[in-house]
Amino acid sequence: MTMQVISVPSTPFSGQKPGTSGLRKKVTVFRQARYLENFVQAIFDTLSGQQGQTLVLGGDGRYYNDVAIQTILRMAAATGFGRVLVGRNGILSTPAASAVIRKWQAFGGIILSASHNSGGPDGDFGIKYNLGNGGPANESFTDAVYLRTQEIRAYDTVESPDIDLSKVGETCIGDMVVSIIDPVADYAELLESLFDFDRIARLLARPDFRMRFDAMHAVTGPYALEILENRLGAPPGTVVNCIPLPDFAGGHPDPNPVYAADLVAALADSRSGLSFGAASDGDGDRNMIVGRNFVVSPSDSLAVLAANHALVPAYASGLAGVARSMPTSCAVDRVAEALGIPCYETPTGWKYFGSLLDAGRCTLCGEESAGTGSNHVREKDGLWAVLYWLNILAVRDLPADVIVREHWRRFGRNVYSRHDYEGIEIAQGDRLMNDLRARLSQLPGSEYGGLRIATADDFAYVDPVDGSRSERQGIRILLDDGSRAVFRLSGTGTEGATLRVYLERFIADPGQHEIPTQEALAPLVGLADAVARIAAITGRKVPNVIS
Ligand code: VG1
Ligand code: CO
């Protein structure tokens, strides 16, 4: 039954510019009439050839997810998609959406998420488009979408009642089939094909090994329950906070020592009996790995995964290469060197890894922001990282902290921390970056508290596969001793600006490896403040989140 397409007049909204990972705004902004519709129409106008094709649609279950899905379904019918695969109840974690797009060779996908940002009526919402490779659309696509949002005059939809998303099965909107799918099945099957599930199951059955996975009331609950408890036999209760809630129970579903403090505390308390902890974020693409009284730095985690690849079935035959975002520590570079494989340095955001993965140039990728992944999908993948760690623990029969300490002994330790100044004024953030940028050429040779700056630049990236160039991706200050301070403004926030300062210092001497991270980095913190005039410009003496 062909339906009549209704063209609804509209006018552009300013500011519909996708950031590091899609368009993220307050729910109150998205709820304005025509706001979501304009952006979705801009995506559909930027695509070509979608008629008759398959779209994947789902999100992290946050507030407004359900409303947005119904709107997008009607618009997908109007633009001529032949089929939409929707996760039951509108749920699809970001890596699961990527897996579904790839498995069913879909044309692309729309993921509704603001990741680790808070949810609820006063929280954040987000939307992004993924291409047929399962990965976030590249910058040229998102730039084109933004341009389109500025000239939009109408959006297309059809008249059709809301679809019941709660039951797996097929219905239709006009000629378009809506398939409600199990959001977990395809993803769980894929992960099962990568790791040694028998061995992990034996580890989880051991009385002396107890793990906790904190889903933070976000999307990974159903995934972790199915994979860890049902398929791998972990004791009931292993997965906590496992029911996705539209407001994440009022918390920030951000797996770092600040927002997942409970988990860190439980692993620090010997009475808990826990030996391994993990958590994931709102949309399931980030991970935190916690050993006994030991939080694994995400940059170290990437390096450990790379160094131990031979223990994991999917990667045992070797890694083509590794990639990390520029602010991520250079720990993985040392592993790549030892393995004799290339290490790529990309701008922040998963969209830059796609072309490298598609071209077979790298196998593992990661970011300091708790994202790690591989060529199995085209997104970072929280549970994948947890299973990779479990696979290593099962084979090596050592606690996580011992594995990291051994890693440091072999490769040296890249002491690393990120200091975030959230909610500063946009004008202050811009001024700080512009001032710093203007002074870059004067910095080499200058000294601060005994530290000497060797080079300073604004990171630009040329994609080695498609030649595309991305400028102004973060200011890097490199010291004589190899230490680094990197400055960038966040591209995912929805209120004011967030300044991120990334600090790294290499310590080769194993006798020094137990030095507390912030203590080791203190001189560098002083340098960063002096060079960028953080306190002077923002009025902030200290960061509000340290990870
Ligand atoms: C942050 C992280 C970046 C990550 C991005 C999306 O971006 O720093 O590494 O790729 O979030 O992750 P920014 O621009 O705020 O620094 V997610 O889990 O929010 O989709
Ligand atoms: Co996320």
Side-chain angles (χ1 to χ4, degrees), residues 268-317:
D269 182 352
S270 57
R271 288 165 306 177
S272 71
L274 291 170
S275 27
F276 184 67
S280 191
D281 70 332
D283 61 331
D285 56 359
R286 297 189 182 200
N287 72 88
M288 178 165 75
I289 301 295
V290 194
R292 269 180 307 205
N293 206 10
F294 189 93
V295 178
V296 181
S297 140
S299 294
D300 280 344
S301 178
L302 174 64
V304 168
L305 300 188
N308 289 278
H309 70 89
L311 309 180
V312 177
Y315 312 104
S317 62

Side-chain angles (χ1 to χ4, degrees), residues 423-470:
I424 60 176
E425 282 170 29
I426 291 179
Q428 289 175 345
D430 289 343
R431 192 176 135 212
L432 187 145
M433 292 300 287
N434 291 336
D435 281 9
L436 189 54
R437 198 172 279 121
R439 281 182 284 118
L440 281 180
S441 61
Q442 302 154 25
L443 292 177
S446 50
E447 284 194 27
Y448 296 84
L451 298 174
R452 195 165 168 278
I453 295 178
T455 60
D457 68 0
D458 196 351
F459 182 57
Y461 176 68
V462 178
D463 184 307
V465 181
D466 64 21
S468 60
R469 191 176 164 86
S470 307

Side-chain angles (χ1 to χ4, degrees), residues 271-513:
R271 288 165 306 177
S272 71
L274 291 170
S275 27
F276 184 67
S280 191
D281 70 332
D283 61 331
D285 56 359
R286 297 189 182 200
N287 72 88
M288 178 165 75
I289 301 295
V290 194
R292 269 180 307 205
N293 206 10
F294 189 93
V295 178
V296 181
S297 140
S299 294
D300 280 344
S301 178
L302 174 64
V304 168
L305 300 188
N308 289 278
H309 70 89
L311 309 180
V312 177
Y315 312 104
S317 62
L319 305 176
V322 290
R324 63 163 172 86
S325 65
M326 182 273 284
T328 303
S329 98
C330 302
V332 74
D333 303 37
R334 295 174 188 278
V335 177
E337 207 187 329
L339 293 173
I341 57 172
C343 177
Y344 298 90
E345 185 178 41
T346 60
T348 293
W350 213 260
K351 57 178 177 270
Y352 298 100
F353 293 131
S355 67
L356 298 172
L357 291 165
D358 284 351
R361 294 217 193 188
C362 71
T363 310
L364 302 183
C365 318
E367 294 190 278
E368 50 64 41
S369 55
T372 8
S374 87
N375 57 356
H376 70 294
V377 287
R378 293 293 180 274
E379 289 279 7
K380 52 189 187 269
D381 189 342
L383 267 165
W384 169 89
V386 176
L387 291 173
Y388 199 132
W389 264 95
L390 285 170
N391 200 141
I392 294 172
L393 297 180
V395 176
R396 294 192 54 184
D397 196 15
L398 289 170
D401 66 295
V402 175
I403 287 178
V404 176
R405 289 189 165 101
E406 280 196 355
H407 185 95
W408 291 344
R409 269 199 293 284
R410 183 170 162 212
F411 294 97
R413 178 178 174 200
N414 291 71
V415 185
Y416 186 85
S417 182
R418 187 177 93 190
H419 289 195
D420 292 335
Y421 299 78
E422 293 180 332
I424 60 176
E425 282 170 29
I426 291 179
Q428 289 175 345
D430 289 343
R431 192 176 135 212
L432 187 145
M433 292 300 287
N434 291 336
D435 281 9
L436 189 54
R437 198 172 279 121
R439 281 182 284 118
L440 281 180
S441 61
Q442 302 154 25
L443 292 177
S446 50
E447 284 194 27
Y448 296 84
L451 298 174
R452 195 165 168 278
I453 295 178
T455 60
D457 68 0
D458 196 351
F459 182 57
Y461 176 68
V462 178
D463 184 307
V465 181
D466 64 21
S468 60
R469 191 176 164 86
S470 307
E471 313 255 358
R472 295 191 163 197
Q473 296 296 329
I475 291 177
R476 307 189 279 194
I477 294 184
L478 194 69
L479 307 189
D480 270 353
D481 68 353
S483 300
R484 292 197 300 167
V486 173
F487 302 82
R488 37 177 306 278
L489 295 176
S490 157
T492 57
T494 60
E495 249 178 84
T498 293
L499 171 69
R500 302 202 195 285
V501 183
Y502 308 83
L503 306 152
E504 176 175 6
R505 176 181 159 199
F506 180 67
I507 301 182
D509 174 11
Q512 304 280 313
H513 284 168

